[in-house]
Amino acid sequence: MVSSAFADRTKLCLFDVDGPLTPARRTASPEMLQTLKDLRKKVVIGFVGGSDLVKITEQLSANGSNPLDDFDYGFAENGLTAYKLGKPLASQSFIKYIGEDRYKPLVNFILHYIADLDIPIKRGTFVEFRAGMINVSPIGRNATVQERNEFEEYDKKHGLRAAFVKVLQEKFSDYNLTFSIGGQISFDVFPKGWDKTYALRHVEDEGFEEIHFFGDKTYKGGNDYEIFSDPRTIGHTVNSPADTIRILKELFLDN
Ligand code: M1P
């Protein structure tokens, strides 16, 4: 039986943010926000993004509203920062896991590697230190939307991030880390198992009849792959917010 917190809503829908709910790093449309509002009357809803909560909040807030009030569950950094009905759940610390002594050689190596990269442009914030992971960007997280798009195209041709990840996997093979390319300009680094399935730890005892997951990078190697293929979820691959709305209507809203 589903926990009393959710009354008669017995199904859960979890959404990756970039792609399924919004265009990459952009805000959700009024149509998407209205669809989620309608959906929430029927099923429990949650977001599960790789980004940190500040960025997800920018993307999902409608006229200054707080997404933690608009979703039953809020999972940032793959669920390492987690909220249920607006209240924080236990979180995890990347630096505690890895330890300062092991972190220093890793970040030093990353910064040297980026310094030696000859790419068309570089901006700022090459390593973003988060609660449950670090995010590494060869161009830098301060890139504008246009610069992001150009970098993404450049990376498709040159495989810059894939090569970088391969070097790190070899050099730090004893660190038990996952290097995950989830967005346009960066990759995430976190302990093995701290992928999006981490979020499921927070919901598995609620007794949901079904847990649906909507993601775009659901292929092997994508950052939605593990949760999409997890036996606890029913996975949906979507390629845009419009695609998500279409499936939600078919499954939950048009009947
Ligand atoms: O949600 C997917 C990814 O979104 C961002 O990636 P990028 O800036 O490269 O487009 C980051 O927040 C990343 O952590 C996240 O996995």
Side-chain angles (χ1 to χ4, degrees):
M1 216 179 76
V2 78
S3 120
S4 58
F6 302 119
D8 52 355
R9 293 180 296 156
T10 56
K11 295 178 183 173
L12 168 65
C13 283
L14 292 174
F15 301 93
D16 170 32
V17 180
D18 284 313
L21 295 185
T22 74
R25 298 290 321 119
R26 311 294 283 274
T27 53
S29 68
E31 188 192 4
M32 173 56 80
L33 294 169
Q34 187 56 50
T35 304
L36 291 170
K37 210 169 172 187
D38 296 341
L39 182 68
R40 196 180 181 195
K41 292 181 189 141
K42 302 195 168 190
V43 305
V44 177
I45 63 170
F47 61 79
V48 50
S51 291
D52 59 27
L53 189 56
V54 174
K55 293 190 197 72
I56 293 178
T57 300
E58 281 164 15
Q59 290 178 264
L60 296 183
S61 77
N63 304 322
S65 74
N66 183 350
L68 295 178
D69 297 328
D70 299 332
F71 286 76
D72 299 288
Y73 285 104
F75 298 121
E77 300 186 39
N78 296 348
L80 297 160
T81 297
Y83 286 80
K84 175 183 172 185
L85 298 171
K87 304 247 160 37
L89 301 171
S91 64
Q92 275 288 3
S93 160
F94 174 77
I95 193 66
K96 266 198 201 137
Y97 172 88
I98 187 168
E100 298 290 355
D101 288 353
R102 295 201 314 152
Y103 177 58
K104 225 188 315 176
L106 173 68
V107 76
N108 287 349
F109 182 88
I110 288 170
L111 291 171
H112 277 293
Y113 187 99
I114 293 176
D116 290 339
L117 272 181
D118 184 16
I119 52 176
I121 59 164
K122 287 185 188 172
R123 293 296 179 253
T125 313
F126 300 100
V127 175
E128 187 172 80
F129 186 81
R130 300 180 182 165
M133 64 173 71
I134 57 168
N135 176 266
V136 178
S137 174
I139 184 178
R141 297 210 58 77
N142 300 138
T144 63
V145 170
Q146 163 128 13
E147 289 162 352
R148 285 181 150 265
N149 294 340
E150 286 166 7
F151 178 87
E152 191 179 23
E153 285 311 309
Y154 183 87
D155 193 40
K156 272 185 199 150
K157 278 197 207 109
H158 299 276
L160 199 86
R161 285 182 292 173
F164 195 171
V165 160
K166 193 159 178 284
V167 170
L168 290 172
Q169 276 166 338
E170 279 161 17
K171 174 119 187 101
F172 296 94
S173 57
D174 56 333
Y175 271 42
N176 196 36
L177 296 174
T178 294
F179 300 87
S180 169
I181 301 176
Q184 292 179 290
I185 58 161
S186 65
F187 57 88
D188 297 327
V189 183
F190 47 80
K192 287 208 169 109
W194 291 17
D195 52 62
K196 286 182 183 170
T197 57
Y198 195 93
L200 298 177
R201 299 185 196 189
H202 296 294
V203 304
E204 61 191 355
D205 293 336
E206 294 286 357
F208 289 114
E209 276 170 16
E210 289 173 9
I211 301 177
H212 293 257
F213 172 75
F214 295 76
D216 58 343
K217 298 198 169 58
T218 54
Y219 45 82
K220 204 163 179 4
N223 69 343
D224 294 325
Y225 174 74
E226 290 85 358
I227 187 167
F228 170 81
S229 52
D230 191 286
R232 289 168 290 181
T233 64
I234 299 167
H236 305 276
T237 304
V238 293
N239 54 33
S240 65
D243 209 16
T244 305
I245 291 176
R246 178 184 60 76
I247 297 176
L248 290 176
K249 285 191 173 152
E250 274 169 29
L251 289 181
F252 303 108
L253 296 169
D254 282 349
N255 46 51

